[in-house]
Amino acid sequence: MSKVSCGWFEDFGSFRLSSIVTLLVIAAGFIIQYLAGGEGVPVLSWPLNAVFIAVFFVLLFLLGVAFRNNPFVVWLGGIPLGLSLIFGIAFLSLLGGVIPQGGVSGDMLSGRLGVNRIFSGWPFLLTVFLFLSNLGLAVVWKTIPFRLSNLQFMLFHGGFWIALASGLAGAPDLQRLIIPVYEGRQNSRAYIPQENRMVQLPFSVYLDDFSIEEYSPQLVLYDPQSDRVIPGKPASGVEVGKGYRAVWPGFEVRVLDYLQHALPDSRGNPRAADPENGIPYARVRISADGKSVDRWLNTGSPSIRPGVVQLDRYFLVMFPGTPKVFRSGVVLSGSRGNKPAVLEVNKPVEYDGWKLYQMGYDEKAGRWSQLSLIEAVRDPWLPVVYCGFFMIMAGNAMFFWKGMKRGGVV
Amino acid sequence: MTLVDFPLVAMAAMACWAGGSLLRFPTRRFPVLRISSYLIMIAGTLLLGWFIAAYWIALERPPLRTLGETRLWYAALIPVVGFLVEYRWKVGWLKYYCMTLAAFFLVINLASPDVFDKALMPALQSVWFVPHVVVYLVGYVLLAASSAAAWHNIFTGFRSQTDRQGFSLSHYLALLGFVLLTFGLVFGALWAKEAWGHYWTWDPKETWAFISWLAYLGYLHLSANKTGPGKLQWYLAISFLVLLVCWFGVNYMPSAQNSVHSYQPN
Ligand code: HEM
């Protein structure tokens, strides 16, 4: 960093000016936000956002190369300002991390200041804008003239610049839609939650089959008076199955027989059935004070009453386990022809530039849900953001290596 | 191996750490005890490692879902950092801080035992689950060790004013911790894209992870800007508290009510 010593430029090397500027920018952001009545920053969508980023980048580049020794530019791209902005962004993120985001603010003032929408508000975006200017200049200076020894810096800082700038500028082009579809039906209309309206999709989704696999059920004591469940203390085995034993004060329950998928026959006795329709059945022995009774329990389904056992004012019940897998067998059709696919959480499927995700189902109906909620996502900026991510990771790996090596000469 | 055996294993591990540490006192007179002191301390950590492996098998899923399970990993890994630092940089004192911290985590787990629960919700069933969490774990472990070293430097370094070694130690541990934090953050973003459709949604947990990352980013730039080592030790010592908020505290924030990241079934 060049030494500057004329007038109040002397301050440029210190943190004082940088901190004051950061505070002023944040304050200005809140004032603009307030005057705008809580409205967020106007969004620029394609292609204006791309133009904005390109112009911003070219200006930074020219500023960095042509005015390299100008004290103002040196300050703008220097560490003191960078640090102040890092702390400024951390402060704003702290607000966003403590105050619930996204909801409607009950309070007029906080609503107008936009504290319930920190990350799309003026204070945050102005600060990030200055931060990107600072980081961009630092990258330009480390890149020109090119030196291999600066590669780690370029990758790390350049990658972060690209990811942050394109992630924020590209946000308006991100589309996230919810497609509700019932078993045996087709849907080509989707719902936009933020805007509360439906749109027509360029393709349609036919739901062939929706299914859920569950973990083992749980044996609990239900107290109808307080509407509370009392789990027992497992005494042998860790999950409900043959041989499982659990104790409650005063009695114990042992599972004598267990069927994961069963249905009652004509006499009401459970018989093994297919996984699609069968429900868990357990024959339990309830013992207290040397006496015992044997009973069948089941988790119930829309057509079968749950099998429970009454014990004084309590009920011994078997709750269905939590979902292990839920999946939709679908057929996607549109200009790319028909494509059968299976959607599961963590296994999205691509179709015609969209990525489809298994999102949810009718949770009240649980395993018996006929409805599947599918999310369709389109993010044209993703490759640019990922390019930034991979640069960060490459720089990071080099940084790790450097740290290990330099660490040796302590 | 289930949680029924945990109290015994935890007590045994702590006994090993304590016993091995105490054995250091007479080593000046009986150098043969030196090696056995190390062996006993390492045995404590191996015991925990073995418990984690057996518990993993019994659970039929990685034991990385609940806070109690992650505390188990910290308890096993933090002393490893202490041992490695001694092996690599010949700094012996760090391991005592590490073992104390690890024992603290074990005591928390003994006081509030986890329930044995095999369930792993669909969002967590991903190839990213283990790398993301383990990278974060190791990052936290290194930063905890860095913070411990910084506290040590605060209490001793200012008196002697010569302890360059202590300053470098906290610095390099923080640097390596930052690298892992960065990997954890990026892995998390890549995973979020696969599981929830977007790589970043400013969910409270993400926001706090970002804040802790910024805290250590601030550290690296303060140090690149030639801030004095004394101030940096205070900075490192305190930054870890931000991490702790991120790790334990997020669930208690008003903002956490709609977080997708609470895996604690209540
Ligand atoms: C605010 C904008 C930023 C500016 C102006 C800036 C500038 C700098 C400068 C001048 C250095 C010293 C380089 C050297 O000693 O060779 C540095 C180091 C570093 N920066 Fe940044 N940086 C910024 C943001 C970032 C960001 C966002 C990241 C993370 C993605 C980052 C990560 C690092 C790392 C890891 C180092 C190495 C520290 C060390 O060698 O001790 N910086 N930065």
Side-chain angles (χ1 to χ4, degrees):
Chain A
M1 199 175 294
S2 58
K3 280 266 170 284
V4 193
S5 57
C6 50
W8 61 282
F9 282 141
E10 264 179 85
D11 254 4
F12 276 11
S14 77
F15 281 107
R16 201 168 52 179
L17 180 69
S18 301
S19 327
I20 293 173
V21 168
T22 303
L23 284 176
L24 284 179
V25 167
I26 294 177
F30 276 117
I31 291 171
I32 297 175
Q33 188 84 38
Y34 184 80
L35 294 179
E39 283 297 310
V41 180
V43 293
L44 296 177
S45 49
W46 183 263
L48 289 179
N49 47 4
V51 172
F52 179 83
I53 288 286
V55 171
F56 181 38
F57 179 78
V58 170
L59 282 181
L60 276 183
F61 186 83
L62 293 178
L63 206 62
V65 173
F67 298 93
R68 190 162 201 152
N69 297 317
N70 176 300
F72 173 75
V73 177
V74 167
W75 167 77
L76 189 62
I79 292 197
L81 181 63
L83 265 167
S84 309
L85 290 167
I86 287 174
F87 293 131
I89 292 176
F91 165 72
L92 291 170
S93 306
L94 201 70
L95 291 183
V98 174
I99 301 167
Q101 298 291 294
V104 226
S105 167
D107 184 342
M108 273 305 286
L109 182 67
S110 63
R112 279 193 80 161
L113 288 176
V115 291
N116 56 338
R117 275 184 277 119
I118 281 289
F119 301 108
S120 56
W122 281 98
F124 186 77
L125 292 177
L126 280 182
T127 312
V128 168
F129 179 74
L130 197 56
F131 180 72
L132 285 174
S133 313
N134 171 274
L135 183 59
L137 285 175
V139 173
V140 170
W141 291 333
K142 285 273 179 175
T143 313
I144 297 170
F146 184 85
R147 269 197 231 104
L148 205 59
S149 58
N150 288 342
L151 187 62
Q152 183 256 334
F153 185 97
M154 286 177 234
L155 287 170
F156 213 129
H157 293 75
F160 191 68
W161 198 94
I162 291 174
L164 189 60
S166 58
L168 287 172
D173 296 330
L174 172 72
Q175 282 176 281
R176 303 184 70 179
L177 316 169
I178 301 171
I179 314 170
V181 52
Y182 284 90
E183 245 172 20
R185 302 240 217 112
Q186 184 164 15
N187 192 5
S188 63
R189 286 168 65 75
Y191 175 69
I192 309 180
Q194 296 85 10
E195 299 166 28
N196 208 351
R197 67 188 175 94
M198 302 288 287
V199 287
Q200 183 67 36
L201 290 168
F203 60 91
S204 73
V205 180
Y206 171 80
L207 181 61
D208 185 36
D209 180 43
F210 176 76
S211 61
I212 292 191
E213 283 172 34
E214 286 168 348
Y215 284 103
S216 306
Q218 281 169 309
L219 269 183
V220 294
L221 204 57
Y222 175 66
D223 178 1
Q225 274 169 20
S226 64
D227 191 28
R228 276 191 335 133
V229 296
I230 307 159
K233 220 173 132 62
S236 76
V238 289
E239 55 184 1
V240 172
K242 195 169 172 163
Y244 175 83
R245 200 158 57 88
V247 287
W248 281 265
F251 69 98
E252 72 152 49
V253 175
R254 175 195 292 275
V255 177
L256 303 175
D257 243 322
Y258 180 73
L259 296 165
Q260 176 81 30
H261 307 287
L263 288 173
D265 63 13
S266 54
R267 302 227 307 280
N269 294 324
R271 293 275 171 267
D274 63 302
E276 181 87 348
N277 298 305
I279 57 171
Y281 272 82
R283 198 158 71 90
V284 295
R285 172 164 296 168
I286 306 163
S287 334
D289 311 327
K291 282 175 287 181
S292 65
V293 289
D294 294 357
R295 290 279 187 283
W296 278 103
L297 296 177
N298 74 61
T299 58
S301 80
S303 55
I304 300 168
R305 277 169 57 90
V308 305
V309 177
Q310 185 164 8
L311 301 165
D312 295 335
R313 52 180 267 245
Y314 300 108
F315 290 93
L316 183 66
V317 298
M318 190 159 72
F319 274 154
T322 50
K324 186 185 207 166
V325 180
F326 47 104
R327 62 169 75 88
S328 300
V330 295
V331 180
L332 309 167
S333 26
S335 57
R336 295 288 163 92
N338 286 351
K339 175 175 173 175
V342 175
L343 300 179
E344 265 179 44
V345 179
N346 269 311
K347 291 177 191 152
V349 168
E350 295 248 7
Y351 185 82
D352 198 12
W354 291 81
K355 230 172 175 180
L356 300 173
Y357 294 82
Q358 174 69 60
M359 184 185 176
Y361 53 94
D362 177 357
E363 293 191 9
K364 278 216 194 74
R367 235 185 99 186
W368 316 100
S369 173
Q370 301 276 345
L371 171 72
S372 178
L373 297 176
I374 290 166
E375 182 172 35
V377 181
R378 201 183 157 92
D379 187 1
W381 290 74
L382 191 69
V384 189
V385 176
Y386 273 21
C387 168
F389 283 175
F390 287 114
M391 285 169 70
I392 292 175
M393 288 198 285
N396 209 25
M398 293 177 72
F399 197 42
F400 184 79
W401 184 239
K402 207 160 93 180
M404 291 303 269
K405 248 186 10 195
R406 260 206 254 150
V409 295
V410 167
Chain B
M1 175 78 34
T2 67
L3 285 174
V4 180
D5 310 295
F6 175 68
L8 195 66
V9 173
M11 299 286 189
M14 288 191 281
C16 285
W17 294 333
S21 304
L22 288 177
L23 214 56
R24 303 286 297 165
F25 289 112
T27 48
R28 243 174 246 132
R29 270 198 282 149
F30 309 101
V32 277
L33 290 180
R34 224 179 113 82
I35 191 85
S36 43
S37 140
Y38 282 123
L39 288 180
I40 293 173
M41 284 187 281
I42 291 171
T45 299
L46 287 179
L47 197 60
L48 273 186
W50 168 74
F51 177 78
I52 290 177
Y55 193 44
W56 188 325
I57 294 168
L59 272 176
E60 295 168 22
R61 64 169 173 84
L64 289 166
R65 198 201 72 195
T66 67
L67 286 181
E69 286 161 12
T70 54
R71 274 193 295 263
L72 201 57
W73 286 77
Y74 290 110
L77 288 177
I78 294 181
V80 172
V81 173
F83 302 146
L84 286 178
V85 161
E86 174 157 27
Y87 175 75
R88 178 106 159 75
W89 290 310
K90 310 283 171 274
V91 175
W93 46 264
L94 189 72
K95 64 176 180 291
Y96 300 114
Y97 290 85
C98 292
M99 288 185 287
T100 311
L101 212 55
F104 174 67
F105 286 132
L106 288 182
V107 169
I108 299 182
N109 272 16
L110 286 173
S112 60
D114 255 353
V115 244
F116 186 93
D117 183 0
K118 284 188 182 177
L120 191 62
M121 41 286 275
L124 295 185
Q125 299 165 18
S126 160
V127 288
W128 288 109
F129 180 40
V130 173
H132 170 73
V133 183
V134 168
V135 161
Y136 255 124
L137 267 164
V138 177
Y140 277 24
V141 163
L142 289 166
L143 295 173
S146 157
S147 176
W151 284 112
H152 174 91
N153 293 337
I154 288 171
F155 290 126
T156 63
F158 297 153
R159 258 183 274 131
S160 63
Q161 288 295 331
T162 52
D163 202 353
R164 297 286 324 152
Q165 198 187 35
F167 293 148
S168 320
L169 189 59
S170 63
H171 177 79
Y172 282 105
L173 289 171
L175 190 160
L176 294 177
F178 174 79
V179 165
L180 285 153
L181 228 48
T182 310
F183 273 126
L185 209 61
V186 177
F187 285 0
L190 295 174
W191 180 11
K193 177 73 193 166
E194 290 308 287
W196 289 300
H198 196 42
Y199 51 84
W200 197 266
T201 51
W202 294 109
D203 177 273
K205 190 87 185 187
E206 289 170 2
T207 305
W208 279 96
F210 182 62
I211 295 169
S212 356
W213 183 78
L214 286 178
Y216 284 96
L217 187 64
Y219 168 77
L220 287 178
H221 288 90
L222 281 172
S223 111
N225 201 38
K226 311 263 178 300
T227 305
K231 282 189 193 139
L232 288 179
Q233 301 315 301
W234 277 107
Y235 190 100
L236 278 184
I238 291 171
S239 299
F240 190 64
L241 300 180
V242 179
L243 266 193
L244 284 182
V245 172
C246 172
W247 175 25
F248 287 122
V250 177
N251 293 339
Y252 304 104
M253 296 283 166
S255 57
Q257 57 203 13
N258 35 24
S259 172
V260 293
H261 284 283
S262 350
Y263 305 119
Q264 296 282 8
N266 298 309

